[in-house]
Amino acid sequence: MKIRQSLLSVGATVMACAAAFGAVLLVLWACGYPPLGILHRWLIGAVGNSYYISNSLAETCPLLLTGLAAGIAFRSGVLNIGAQGQFLIGAMVSVGLATRWQVTPAVMPTIVIAVVGGAVGGGLWAVLAGALERWRGVPVVLSTILLNFVAFYLVEIILSGPLQAHGTSAPQSAEIQGRYWLPVLIKFSSLHIGVLLAFCLAALLYVVNRQTVFGFQTLVTGLNPRAAQLAGIPVARQQMTVIFVSGGLAGLGGAFQVLGVTHFLIANFGSYGYAGIAVALLGRLNPLGIAFSALFFGMLDTGALRVEESSLGLPHNIADVVKGTVLLVMLLLLAFINRRRISPTAKVDAAATEGR
Amino acid sequence: MAAGENIVTFLAQQMIAAAVPLVMAGIGELVAELAGVINIGIEGLMLTGCIAAYTAASCGYGSIGLCAGILGAMALAAMFATVAVSGRADQIVCGAAINILAVGASGTAWAVFQNWRQKHDMSVSLPHGAGFHKWPLPFLSRTPFFGPALFDQYTLCYVTILLGILVWWLLRYARLGLIIRSLGDFPEACQAAGIRVRAWRWGAVLFAGGCAGAAGAYLSIMRTHSFAADMTGGQGFVVLALVIFGRWNLFGLTAGCLLFGFINALQQVLQTARYTAHNRLLESLQHIPFQWFQMLPYAAALLALAVMAKNRPGPRALGRAWPPETPGE
């Protein structure tokens, strides 16, 4: 039963990906573009040689971390859609700790402090939303939307104030010195150590979710907060921990991205936070699934760059078209498959009714 | 922008011009949220409106462009409704998917359109007459102070005002408004009264799509006569924030939009040396990093929520799919 269900959901996801890819290529074909040519370039750009593969993996890292951030939060019923803001705050704290607010000149400690600082920064930014919900009754969904913007402008202010690079008037930080960059796994590639750590974190979270009391309790809270409360689970404290961890993961993503890939910061730092929501959903909120879907999204992104470089006249945005379509198709498929047990709560409620 | 115009008039006119798309999209989002559907894909809907309006207007008629903008956004809204209302999927996730899709699709469509334009030797700007121009209302626009600000605007500004009044009246006094509000507050009651919740929510989502499309068309074929990738620049998210800021009330929403428009206009003024040269107040404002002002609406919305939220922020069933669970059939 269980195996059949997980096979079904994996099958649905793969089908959604294939269908979406097919639909997009079909539309392009109708517009007069060669579908096979596009597909070929896309594949080459994603996994064609070691250079492209390492790029894809590097691109996967922020997506994976923001995806895990959204996944762990959604799973326990905390609608944190502020990964974007937490990602930015994490990156900002991290770049600060590696440039102007450096604590020690030693290399390794600086990197570790910058990474941890980024994660804590992102986590605390998320806790702000959690605190607003707990003490002032502001729904997390709403406060995190707003906090994304506050974070954006706050980062711009700091980047044009205390952290601004010398000799520029634009809001951007100084470049981090080469020795404080994240070490790379393979020389001359963009494959930094953060990628490996991100995948390890995904595995760790999988174990935490399945094997620990904490993982079980947060799942119950997500399925039915009232039942969780009655069963003696400290829901409020648990939600706060979850939102801290969630924000911390997003912040960690920002820290890795700035220390490992871009090496300096501007406020327009990509929309990994918003993409994370999509990644989490495609992975069905399961850390292992999220790892695969982040990998898929990362390959889509880098492959599309190659499509853009070719003379076809298509922009890299085409990756976003595929992503959006994949999600919508998968949501539809899920709605279809789960006709009977539509929401996770429905099952619990039905069981409760039967018991009565 | 005539020379010698005074600064207050300029500020007021720019404020309203910037607020129009926000109010327009905001009315739609407000109705959808009151009906219990939160669509964070509104940014994508607006962007779709922009590109659809621009491409269609290239045939030479602005009105066709406007219709295309509205219909294009409605088509995307229909996708959202299929998945989120009929399919009962998570609204937040669907909205995120719509955003990603729209950003990608508009960028791709823009590139495809430009290729096509090159192939057919069309000019790179809109043909003459395809973009809307301002339509100063006779007499009214010459009233001192208020005139230019309120009555020397694009047609859509007046439409927005009328639509706002209509929607306010409907929500407040008509059966229709009562239905919409109960859809979001207490869908069970609608069900019991024989009102088809999902069908009505579909309607609300489509209406919101149309409004967002019109707002997008305003940006591309009225205010700027051009299109650029990602030209909405987060205005859809601003609308989401402003609906919250206004506490799901049309007046609050409008006030928020005007505040936002004002900050936009202020930014323009501060960048214009002509205005800042001899004005002490403006000069002192220039020393504050402008991002503080830009942050203001969001911070204010958060603060407003934090201060007042204890008693029920927003429609009770906001974001919840209907029916809530399937009874064991």
Side-chain angles (χ1 to χ4, degrees), chain B residues 20-279:
Chain B
V20 166
L22 300 175
V23 177
M24 190 71 187
I27 290 172
E29 179 68 19
L30 177 70
V31 168
E33 287 195 20
L34 285 179
V37 184
I38 183 168
N39 184 357
I40 69 166
I42 190 158
E43 166 86 1
L45 296 179
M46 283 175 77
L47 201 53
T48 312
C50 290
I51 180 88
Y54 187 87
T55 8
S58 299
C59 74
Y61 298 97
S63 44
I64 294 186
L66 181 59
C67 290
I70 294 175
L71 288 178
M74 278 173 94
L76 202 63
M79 278 165 97
F80 175 83
T82 310
V83 180
V85 179
S86 300
R88 300 182 71 264
D90 189 282
Q91 292 171 6
I92 299 287
V93 176
C94 287
I98 290 284
N99 270 336
I100 296 175
L101 178 63
V103 169
S106 63
T108 310
W110 178 236
V112 169
F113 178 63
Q114 270 180 326
N115 285 352
W116 184 81
R117 208 149 61 165
Q118 245 168 19
K119 224 185 275 171
H120 295 263
D121 286 328
M122 280 173 65
S123 72
V124 284
S125 57
L126 276 184
H128 184 70
F132 283 86
H133 291 276
K134 282 190 179 174
W135 184 41
L137 294 183
F139 306 118
L140 287 174
S141 61
R142 263 174 276 153
T143 339
F145 185 63
F146 280 120
L150 210 49
F151 299 114
D152 185 10
Q153 298 279 359
Y154 294 95
T155 330
L156 199 74
C157 173
Y158 316 127
V159 176
T160 307
I161 295 174
L162 293 180
L163 183 72
I165 295 172
L166 179 70
V167 167
W168 171 77
W169 186 83
L170 283 175
L171 284 177
R172 179 104 205 217
Y173 294 108
R175 183 179 137 80
L176 184 67
L178 186 63
I179 294 179
I180 288 177
R181 280 182 288 130
S182 46
L183 283 172
D185 260 339
F186 199 33
E188 291 83 356
C190 291
Q191 167 95 338
I195 295 163
R196 295 169 59 200
V197 176
R198 287 206 257 184
W200 279 90
R201 284 189 171 175
W202 252 90
V205 169
L206 284 185
F207 173 73
C211 287
Y218 176 88
L219 291 175
S220 71
I221 58 175
M222 293 189 207
R223 257 204 113 179
T224 58
H225 291 206
S226 67
F227 179 82
D230 213 3
M231 77 180 295
T232 46
Q235 288 195 50
F237 290 113
V238 173
V239 169
L240 277 180
L242 289 177
V243 171
I244 306 167
F245 175 83
R247 306 202 73 220
W248 294 271
N249 174 312
L250 205 52
F251 290 110
L253 171 70
T254 313
C257 294
L258 288 176
L259 172 65
F260 204 83
F262 176 75
I263 288 168
N264 240 335
L266 187 66
Q267 189 174 21
Q268 288 179 38
V269 166
L270 290 185
Q271 282 166 359
T272 317
R274 180 154 60 90
Y275 290 129
T276 49
H278 303 292
N279 193 318

Side-chain angles (χ1 to χ4, degrees), chain A residues 265-342:
Chain A
L265 183 65
I266 52 172
N268 255 330
F269 196 50
S271 52
Y272 293 108
Y274 292 116
I277 300 174
V279 170
L281 183 86
L282 192 65
R284 307 287 313 278
L285 308 189
N286 175 334
L288 291 188
I290 291 173
F292 279 107
S293 69
L295 199 56
F296 176 61
F297 273 28
M299 292 195 307
L300 271 181
D301 279 340
T302 38
L305 285 179
R306 169 95 185 171
V307 174
E308 184 176 67
E309 281 165 15
S310 68
S311 54
L312 290 167
L314 287 172
H316 67 271
N317 303 38
I318 190 140
D320 291 332
V321 183
V322 177
K323 287 184 205 166
T325 320
V326 165
L327 270 185
L328 287 178
V329 172
M330 207 191 70
L331 286 169
L332 262 185
L333 270 179
L334 285 182
F336 208 73
I337 293 172
N338 294 350
R339 269 286 255 272
R340 297 199 58 129
R341 36 155 228 120
I342 285 180

